[in-house]
Amino acid sequence: MTVGLGPLVYIVIFVAIVVMVQGVYLLAFGKSINMNNRMSRRMALLEKTQDREKVLEQLRKEMTQHVKSRGIPLYSLLAHKAQLANIAFSPAQLMGVMVGAAVLAYVGLSVGTSVGAAPRILLSAGMGFGGVYFWINSKAKARMKKLEEQLPDAIELMVRSLRVGHPLTSAIGIVAKEVADPLGTEFGIIADEAAYGRNIADSLKVFAERMDNQDLRFLAVAVNIQQSSGGNLAEILDGLSKVIRSRFKLFRRVIAITAEAKFSGTFLSGMPVVILVGTFILKPNHFDGVMASSYFVPGAALVAILLVGNVIFMKMMTNIKV
């Protein structure tokens, strides 16, 4: 059996697909879509169009378009992650990007490998979908992580605004202006919706459910209780920000404690694959004698099952809810 540089070509093609998708995304939507930008996407769009209603309509469409398209075959696997990442591509555009990535993979496999036509098509389709899914998943994780980090500071900013006499709508508007994405744009949408008559507690509840975030649910409940029964909202939110910071600190401590176990699980699961790929690259015919044995397929299947089981078990052992 001759493999040679094949596995390395697959890795290069996959990385190229992820980089291509990111490049197309930035090219299509510019710097406003980048979470590292100091100005939120909403503020950038307002500066460009000067039309608050139009910007609100566009941002709300981007928020909900992926959930509404869950009925599309295969796309349902991407919809939830795309919603969390708030991907500005429409579902049709995202499907087009997947097709383009598959075509790129097919060209790369045709040039870099001698794989047959049928396996090449299957590999290209898998790489196209897998590359886009990997990109969306990484975007979703980064966005959720930054949102969780920004939330305590945003609530404290609301507390200071409320204590100097600003109403809740103005306090949320200040957060929208002062805080970068992702929270800046999200709070800006809530402020705009409140300006057009929507209840702030309802907007916060929808936001919390869309992000599936417990801290945002606490915020929505706190605002709802204050609106229903009264009370000092500044004090309530001040206590909430302290609770969120404490939970965040505990979560970071859990991450530090479980870091060794997570690394061990990743190392033990990934090293056999790395060794196998390296062996195929450096000495393609090394396993020819073993593969001729009737025990090869059952043995390889058993090893694959054990590796997958190891990943799942280590994930369960280190997945501690805070």
Side-chain angles (χ1 to χ4, degrees), residues 223-234:
V223 172
N224 188 40
I225 291 174
Q226 193 276 335
Q227 289 181 344
S228 302
S229 58
N232 190 332
L233 183 59

Side-chain angles (χ1 to χ4, degrees), residues 265 268-273 301-313:
L268 292 174
S269 302
M271 183 54 67
V273 178
L302 178 61
V303 170
I305 292 171
L306 290 174
L307 283 175
V308 173
N310 177 67
V311 172
I312 295 173
F313 183 76

Side-chain angles (χ1 to χ4, degrees), residues 168-190:
L168 179 59
T169 306
S170 298
I172 291 177
I174 291 171
V175 173
K177 291 179 181 178
E178 299 296 330
V179 178
D181 277 341
L183 211 55
T185 293
E186 295 287 356
F187 269 60
I189 293 171
I190 294 172

Side-chain angles (χ1 to χ4, degrees), residues 37-207:
N37 193 12
R38 288 296 304 165
M39 181 183 291
S40 68
R41 175 161 167 75
R42 172 178 169 271
M43 296 300 294
L45 291 174
L46 282 173
E47 186 178 274
K48 183 179 179 180
T49 63
Q50 301 296 323
D51 189 338
R52 186 177 182 181
E53 185 175 355
K54 184 178 178 181
V55 170
L56 176 60
E57 182 181 353
Q58 178 180 346
L59 292 174
R60 291 182 70 178
K61 180 182 177 183
E62 291 176 359
M63 286 190 314
T64 58
Q65 60 185 351
H66 300 291
V67 181
K68 293 179 179 178
S69 303
R70 283 181 174 175
I72 301 175
L74 191 65
Y75 191 80
S76 58
L77 300 174
L78 297 171
H80 180 63
K81 294 291 185 181
Q83 174 184 305
L84 293 179
N86 199 32
I87 300 298
F89 280 138
S90 67
Q93 290 172 334
L94 203 54
M95 295 292 283
V97 169
M98 279 193 282
V99 172
V103 171
L104 176 65
Y106 185 84
V107 172
L109 291 173
S110 300
V111 174
T113 66
S114 57
V115 181
R120 197 184 313 159
I121 293 173
L122 292 175
L123 283 171
S124 301
M127 285 184 173
F129 179 83
V132 174
Y133 183 87
F134 176 84
W135 174 75
I136 291 176
N137 188 50
S138 62
K139 283 278 186 185
K141 286 183 178 179
R143 187 169 186 267
M144 291 300 296
K145 181 180 179 182
K146 191 165 185 180
L147 186 146
E148 291 170 354
E149 291 175 351
Q150 288 178 319
L151 187 57
D153 293 332
I155 294 176
E156 288 182 358
L157 182 56
M158 290 172 61
V159 170
R160 291 195 293 269
S161 300
L162 291 170
R163 282 176 175 168
V164 299
H166 290 290
L168 179 59
T169 306
S170 298
I172 291 177
I174 291 171
V175 173
K177 291 179 181 178
E178 299 296 330
V179 178
D181 277 341
L183 211 55
T185 293
E186 295 287 356
F187 269 60
I189 293 171
I190 294 172
D192 289 342
E193 289 178 340
Y196 287 110
R198 188 175 187 182
N199 186 281
I200 293 178
D202 292 339
S203 296
L204 286 170
K205 183 179 179 181
V206 171
F207 175 37

